[in-house]
Amino acid sequence: MRSETAPAIRLEDYQPPVYRIEKVHLTVKLDPAETEVVATLSVARQADVQAGTPLVLDGDELSLRELKLNGEVLPDDGYTVSPGKLEIHAPPSKSFDLKITTQINPEANTKLMGLYRSSGTYCTQCEAEGFRRITYFLDRPDVLAIYTTRVEAPKTDCPVLLANGNLMEKGDIDGTDRHYALWHDPHPKPAYLFALVAGNLAQVPNRFTTASDKKVDLNIYVEHGNEGLCSWAMDSLKRSMKWDEDVFGREYDLDVFNIVAVSDFNMGAMENKGLNIFNDKYVLADPETATDQDYANIEAVIAHEYFHNWTGNRITCRDWFQLCLKEGLTVFRDQEFTSDMRSRPVKRITDVRLLKTHQFPEDAGPLAHPVRPRVYHEINNFYTATVYEKGAEVVRMLKTVLGDEGFHRGLDLYFDRHDGEATTIEAFLTCFEDTNGTDLSQFALWYEQAGTPVVSVASAYDADRQTYSLSLSQEIPPVPGQRSSKPAVIPLRFGLLGPDGKDMHATSASGINISGDVLLMEKSRHEITFSGVSSQPVLSLLRAFSAPVRIDQKFATADLQFLAARDNDPFNRWQAVQSLAMQELVRLTGTIRHGELGAPADGVVSVFGAVLNDQNLDPALKALALTLPSEADIAQEIGKNVDPDAILAARKQLRQAIARQFHGALRAAALEFAPRGDYSPDAETAGKRALSNRAAYYYAVSNTEDAAQFTWDRFSSADNMTDRLAGLMLLVHDHMPGETAALDLYLSRHEKTSLAMDKWFMVQATAPGDGTLATIKSLFSHPLYDATNPNRVRALLQSFATGNATQFARPDGAGFELVAESVLEIDKRNPQVASRLLTSFRSWRALDANRCALAESTLMKISSCEDLSRDSRDIIDRTLQ
Ligand code: PHE
Ligand code: ZN
């Protein structure tokens, strides 16, 4: 029998809950296989609901042991129970206490949802629907309750007992080897923010004093031996707390803020009230095992989870369709934090690259959905780049449209008006309307419409009249299930560059709303005329990437070169270099596909030389500008009939051409920018290291006599992980001499450090070349491979499927097969990890005919499997649609 598709949940069907749960008292008696959970719920019927209306609680893999209503055992005919639901047929009064005793098996919980064990530590994950795996409950975000949690466990196994809120009491349980801790969280919260942790963990303490002089105890809990790896995370936390006070006026609201790092976690981290639980890769760092990128990620994720305390926890979502209410806004906030801590342009470019490589393809393929979806089958599949990253772009546009002040006025009202509530996107937008006297109904389309709008641009200059005219039109390409689309509000930051590279100022402009340097598109077409334009300008559009759109504009190479050299918007300077490279890479790919040799145009190669030699460019920006568009980016630009082998070859050609022409300067830069002295993860030093390694990346293929030795030395003499990993990648991905020796050396150095070993698996999985498939298969039986650890699976398989286009989409179909088999195997244990891996097929229709057919038959095979999880069933159905 084919596994069944879960029923569709629709936004339009939303109904408020018929009962409230106002208080929850939980006693959790921990045991590896037989944990007992006693939940006492104070339940109240809603005012407008009829007496006797059944109370239907959610459950998942629960076994009910006892059920009491107002202290009395409920007679058998008073309720119906299954592992998935508990229905009290006719509750007797308007409010009552329900005491539910269930038993669960944390040890057998391989889905890592609900209560499970990770390296012996008990921990929970409840978002989105994991609390129902702990006890029967109204497991929906609009049921807000005050939680008191008593955790009981053996003293020796679990000296640390944690739950949400403040610690009330702690003590021994007389006559046993067990102890307990009692935690109380005074803030009403939805069940998805519940958390509990118990284990033998080391505590790294610290302290923060809030602006109103409240002392907050901060703790990071990690496995013993990892205490020394928490200082960066702790420092990031303190800076986040301060920044949220300074920039958003938000203070922390409990006596303690705890973070626990665990090594088995499906996602990045979780913002449980007062007790954040983290994938340890976003906590642990030292120079020996973490890269600059890891340090930056830790800072951002710590901040993100902390910021959720206001955007997500104090104000939460009414239903899961509103996920972007907390996620889009919180990503926006963490992006701003990073911009303030580091370099704003570097952060912007990094985020846009992420958006373009993850969200744009999602929006262009079968899994496309609006920032606020209208329907889902499995909510776990909607923690997507669209909800998170495009959701943040929408908030950013709101800020651009309203201006900084107007934006903050609206947000202040939002915090004020909705504190303690579970609310919606509409309510959020209304706060901005009310404080700015504007109508945001057209803006709201950004939450409703899937697909990336394309803005087409044509321009003409009339020297006699001194006018510059611009035609702008917008269109959203067809999206599955979306019949038509309406014009969106698109804020386009722009400049008209004069011959001196400075922005010109037109005396007037007609045909569009302009405020400051922003053109506000509101119609599907705008004919704009600027007057008083004294010479032919070069248009710099979408500065700072002011809207998540694609620009379709024919550029003369000379104009792109001019922008690359002169635009005063750093983002668009970077973009111009990328566009030049992209044009050339697309052209080269075509040439190679026709069986010709081709050669990169000198003009493009020399732009890279100019960037390299520009003394005024910040090293971090320079490193980004020197980064070629990725294979996935090029594939996306080509859009259909994609041949990944031709793309790889084209990219290699351009890389080599740059390397050969500028080998001297590259070698010098690789040496000059390598920071000396003690390692520091700060943005400036990291930027220099990035440039040094970027130069080394080219130099490795420069055909010079010492290129191989130079690369080997980088790897082997590196005194930090950033340089070591950069060197290893070059040796392995370019199959240079010493490739195997390097992998062995790395292994012997890092075999005891799980996070460092993830990188070892990742490097091998992403190596181009026919041998990779065999390597992966042999790595499956490597003693350090662990198919139950999500980070390890992602390191080997997710990175292969998303970061190794030529081998994943091998013309013999073996790459697809490998991933499909793994999906099926993992799906039995951990559906969330499996379904995420399955999304790597999302762009299959863009491949050439042969690969497309192979992908389709692989997908059909998966689809025909019995017993797929609902997570994977949902993805496969939509991918094949
Ligand atoms: N809410 C988490 C975040 O964005 C992500 C998450 C979702 C974690 C679901 C676990 C499960 O910070
Ligand atoms: Zn989040």
Side-chain angles (χ1 to χ4, degrees):
M1 196 193 72
R2 182 179 177 279
S3 54
E4 249 167 77
T5 307
I9 317 284
R10 291 177 201 284
L11 173 56
E12 67 203 38
D13 295 341
Y14 173 82
Q15 295 288 338
V18 286
Y19 286 90
R20 295 187 306 277
I21 299 176
E22 289 167 340
K23 279 190 216 147
V24 179
H25 189 291
L26 285 174
T27 299
V28 183
K29 299 173 188 165
L30 290 167
D31 179 88
E34 298 179 349
T35 288
E36 186 182 276
V37 179
V38 184
T40 306
L41 316 178
S42 312
V43 187
R45 180 160 29 89
Q46 300 278 42
D48 50 347
V49 173
Q50 259 194 357
T53 303
L55 168 65
V56 185
L57 301 176
D58 307 295
D60 183 16
E61 296 186 37
L62 295 175
S63 55
L64 181 66
R65 288 298 138 106
E66 191 185 66
L67 184 59
K68 286 185 171 175
L69 201 147
N70 289 335
E72 304 283 322
V73 173
L74 210 64
D76 284 356
D77 62 354
Y79 67 95
T80 337
V81 66
S82 69
K85 282 254 172 308
L86 172 61
E87 176 173 330
I88 316 292
H89 297 320
S93 50
K94 194 149 181 20
S95 61
F96 54 94
D97 279 356
L98 199 61
K99 187 175 167 208
I100 308 169
T101 306
T102 47
Q103 191 181 304
I104 52 181
N105 184 350
E107 209 171 55
N109 183 352
T110 59
K111 296 182 178 167
L112 313 188
M113 274 295 264
L115 176 66
Y116 66 95
R117 294 191 92 184
S118 171
S119 310
T121 298
Y122 292 95
C123 63
T124 56
Q125 173 51 45
C126 292
E127 186 176 7
E129 298 177 332
F131 191 70
R132 63 184 64 183
R133 295 168 59 76
I134 297 173
T135 187
Y136 290 101
F137 204 73
L138 290 176
D139 191 5
R140 41 186 291 168
D142 56 355
V143 173
L144 307 187
I146 294 178
Y147 286 68
T148 307
T149 308
R150 181 181 156 106
V151 190
E152 302 182 7
K155 277 186 267 186
T156 41
D157 287 1
C158 300
V160 172
L161 305 175
L162 306 171
N164 310 91
N166 300 318
L167 179 65
M168 311 306 286
E169 222 178 282
K170 200 172 169 172
D172 291 347
I173 302 177
D174 291 341
T176 70
D177 61 347
R178 295 166 75 84
H179 66 159
Y180 74 94
L182 186 71
W183 292 82
H184 178 73
D185 178 5
H187 300 280
K189 66 165 174 288
Y192 82 85
L193 291 173
F194 171 80
L196 167 168
V197 170
N200 188 358
L201 297 169
Q203 175 187 13
V204 178
N206 216 303
R207 187 163 248 232
F208 181 81
T209 307
T210 69
S212 39
D213 216 30
K214 183 183 167 77
K215 307 270 185 291
V216 183
D217 286 326
L218 312 177
N219 297 294
I220 299 181
Y221 291 92
V222 292
E223 279 175 32
H224 288 283
N226 286 342
E227 295 90 327
L229 303 177
C230 303
S231 46
W232 179 251
M234 185 62 87
D235 183 60
S236 303
L237 174 61
K238 292 204 273 187
R239 284 184 282 118
S240 306
M241 294 177 87
K242 176 75 167 70
W243 184 89
D244 212 15
E245 294 182 345
D246 293 347
V247 178
F248 285 86
R250 300 294 114 202
E251 282 188 29
Y252 189 61
D253 53 8
L254 288 166
D255 304 339
V256 27
F257 188 79
N258 286 324
I259 289 177
V260 179
V262 299
S263 49
D264 303 272
F265 202 72
N266 282 346
M267 307 281 274
M270 182 62 212
E271 69 264 24
N272 318 300
K273 183 78 187 191
L275 177 52
N276 287 2
I277 299 181
F278 272 63
N279 185 325
D280 60 2
K281 75 187 264 198
Y282 295 119
V283 175
L284 307 176
D286 70 357
E288 175 63 11
T289 56
T291 61
D292 291 330
Q293 187 58 57
D294 292 326
Y295 277 91
N297 291 343
I298 290 168
E299 182 181 84
V301 178
I302 292 267
H304 178 96
E305 305 310 330
Y306 174 72
F307 297 155
H308 267 315
N309 191 54
W310 273 94
T311 49
N313 301 4
R314 288 289 286 254
I315 307 180
T316 193
C317 306
R318 187 193 71 173
D319 53 70
W320 291 119
F321 296 101
Q322 321 294 331
L323 183 56
C324 61
L325 178 73
K326 74 176 176 86
E327 295 305 346
L329 180 54
T330 305
V331 171
F332 169 78
R333 276 153 52 71
D334 83 55
Q335 291 176 345
E336 285 300 291
F337 169 73
T338 302
S339 304
D340 285 350
M341 293 295 122
R342 293 164 174 255
S343 147
R344 185 164 285 270
V346 168
K347 176 62 175 164
R348 191 64 191 133
I349 292 168
T350 311
D351 287 340
V352 172
R353 284 185 59 192
L354 191 84
L355 187 82
K356 288 187 174 178
T357 41
H358 294 289
Q359 199 277 325
F360 276 24
E362 185 166 272
D363 237 352
L367 301 180
H369 56 274
V371 171
R372 183 176 64 182
R374 267 180 304 275
V375 54
Y376 63 77
H377 293 268
E378 171 52 64
I379 187 59
N380 287 329
N381 289 333
F382 283 83
Y383 290 80
T384 60
T386 297
V387 169
Y388 276 67
E389 267 70 42
K390 189 175 180 181
E393 292 301 318
V394 175
V395 174
R396 186 171 296 282
M397 283 191 287
L398 193 59
K399 184 170 185 239
T400 304
V401 169
L402 300 175
D404 291 7
E405 263 183 57
F407 177 72
H408 279 280
R409 267 201 307 276
L411 260 186
D412 288 345
L413 177 61
Y414 174 69
F415 288 127
D416 228 46
R417 190 184 266 177
H418 296 291
D419 188 12
E421 291 180 6
T423 193
T424 60
I425 287 297
E426 280 76 11
F428 174 70
L429 289 178
T430 302
C431 293
F432 294 90
E433 293 182 319
D434 290 358
T435 45
N436 288 274
T438 48
D439 174 357
L440 293 170
S441 47
Q442 189 189 358
F443 185 86
L445 289 171
W446 279 108
Y447 288 99
E448 309 286 332
Q449 301 189 143
T452 306
V454 177
V455 173
S456 303
V457 183
S459 63
Y461 180 65
D462 184 331
D464 295 341
R465 293 208 171 77
Q466 303 223 321
T467 58
Y468 179 67
S469 52
L470 200 56
S471 308
L472 299 178
S473 61
Q474 58 164 304
E475 198 184 6
I476 299 184
V479 173
Q482 183 166 287
R483 252 166 255 117
S484 61
S485 60
K486 297 186 191 135
V489 178
I490 304 180
L492 297 167
R493 244 180 238 292
F494 80 109
L496 300 178
L497 271 72
D500 59 356
K502 299 225 168 68
D503 281 2
M504 303 198 289
H505 295 280
T507 52
S508 71
S510 64
I512 196 165
N513 246 319
I514 304 187
S515 101
D517 62 347
V518 177
L519 301 169
L520 200 65
M521 278 192 89
E522 291 165 307
K523 300 188 291 184
S524 55
R525 230 194 144 74
H526 290 268
E527 301 294 341
I528 305 157
T529 308
F530 297 92
S531 353
V533 182
S534 53
S535 59
Q536 165 119 36
V538 176
L539 174 66
S540 170
L541 196 64
L542 201 66
R543 280 181 165 174
F545 201 72
S546 58
V549 300
R550 289 174 200 271
I551 298 285
D552 178 14
Q553 183 181 7
K554 302 272 163 301
F555 266 113
T557 303
D559 285 351
L560 280 178
Q561 284 169 334
F562 182 68
L563 290 171
R566 307 296 288 275
D567 200 326
N568 62 44
D569 177 57
F571 178 87
N572 265 6
R573 265 190 91 175
W574 170 81
Q575 182 59 62
V577 180
Q578 294 296 301
S579 300
L580 274 168
M582 183 63 93
Q583 278 182 3
E584 189 58 8
L585 288 164
V586 171
R587 189 188 67 79
L588 283 170
T589 303
T591 314
I592 291 165
R593 241 183 137 179
H594 287 105
E596 290 155 38
L597 221 46
D602 291 343
V604 177
V605 174
S606 63
V607 166
F608 279 83
V611 171
L612 180 64
N613 292 318
D614 185 332
Q615 301 303 318
N616 299 316
L617 209 55
D618 163 46
L621 275 175
K622 196 184 275 198
L624 284 169
L626 293 173
T627 304
L628 295 175
S630 70
E631 291 162 57
D633 292 341
I634 303 164
Q636 213 192 125
E637 181 72 19
I638 294 173
K640 50 176 186 284
N641 194 15
V642 167
D643 172 0
D645 288 316
I647 291 174
L648 182 74
R651 204 169 174 279
K652 189 160 187 191
Q653 261 190 5
L654 183 52
R655 177 183 172 201
Q656 277 173 339
I658 294 166
R660 288 176 186 169
Q661 183 149 352
F662 304 109
H663 59 87
L666 287 162
R667 192 179 192 284
L671 295 172
E672 181 193 338
F673 288 95
R676 269 167 276 273
D678 282 350
Y679 175 89
S680 159
D682 70 89
E684 204 189 309
T685 319
K688 289 185 183 147
R689 246 184 317 267
L691 178 54
S692 166
N693 283 319
R694 184 53 43 194
Y697 164 86
Y698 287 101
Y699 191 67
V701 294
S702 61
N703 222 11
T704 47
E705 247 170 59
D706 75 336
Q709 186 64 42
F710 190 87
T711 309
W712 172 263
D713 290 348
R714 283 224 135 210
F715 163 76
S716 61
S717 64
D719 64 357
N720 64 78
M721 180 54 94
T722 306
D723 294 338
R724 185 174 307 125
L725 182 63
L728 184 68
M729 293 259 250
L730 293 177
L731 295 170
V732 176
H733 288 190
D734 292 308
H735 304 295
M736 297 176 81
E739 168 182 5
T740 318
L743 284 166
D744 291 346
L745 258 176
Y746 186 104
L747 173 64
S748 59
R749 185 170 191 135
H750 295 294
E751 60 193 341
K752 300 241 151 41
T753 316
S754 189
L755 293 173
M757 285 312 297
D758 286 336
K759 302 180 199 307
W760 186 80
F761 283 95
M762 179 274 292
V763 168
Q764 296 179 75
T766 48
D770 280 340
T772 295
L773 219 53
T775 306
I776 293 178
K777 286 181 185 160
S778 74
L779 287 174
F780 282 148
S781 44
H782 192 278
L784 291 175
Y785 186 69
D786 176 1
T788 69
N789 176 258
N791 285 355
R792 196 51 49 90
V793 171
R794 284 186 283 254
L796 190 59
L797 289 164
Q798 190 95 28
S799 67
F800 171 72
T802 56
N804 196 341
T806 52
Q807 290 308 301
F808 174 55
R810 280 166 66 108
D812 62 1
F816 295 145
E817 285 297 324
L818 177 89
V819 173
E821 280 163 24
S822 301
V823 166
L824 292 176
E825 192 215 302
I826 297 162
D827 196 48
K828 296 190 175 71
R829 276 193 306 274
N830 190 330
Q832 280 184 48
V833 170
S835 72
R836 199 154 279 248
L837 182 55
L838 194 49
T839 63
S840 53
F841 282 94
R842 67 184 174 197
S843 300
W844 68 278
R845 280 184 213 273
L847 293 166
D848 61 34
N850 167 46
R851 289 176 166 96
C852 194
L854 290 164
E856 182 165 30
S857 72
T858 307
L859 289 166
M860 299 291 284
K861 228 190 277 173
I862 298 175
S863 178
S864 72
C865 273
E866 300 174 6
D867 302 334
L868 275 189
S869 66
R870 11 135 122 228
D871 307 61
S872 294
R873 171 59 59 198
D874 171 41
I875 297 290
I876 198 82
D877 284 354
R878 284 191 281 144
T879 305
L880 277 167
Q881 219 168 57

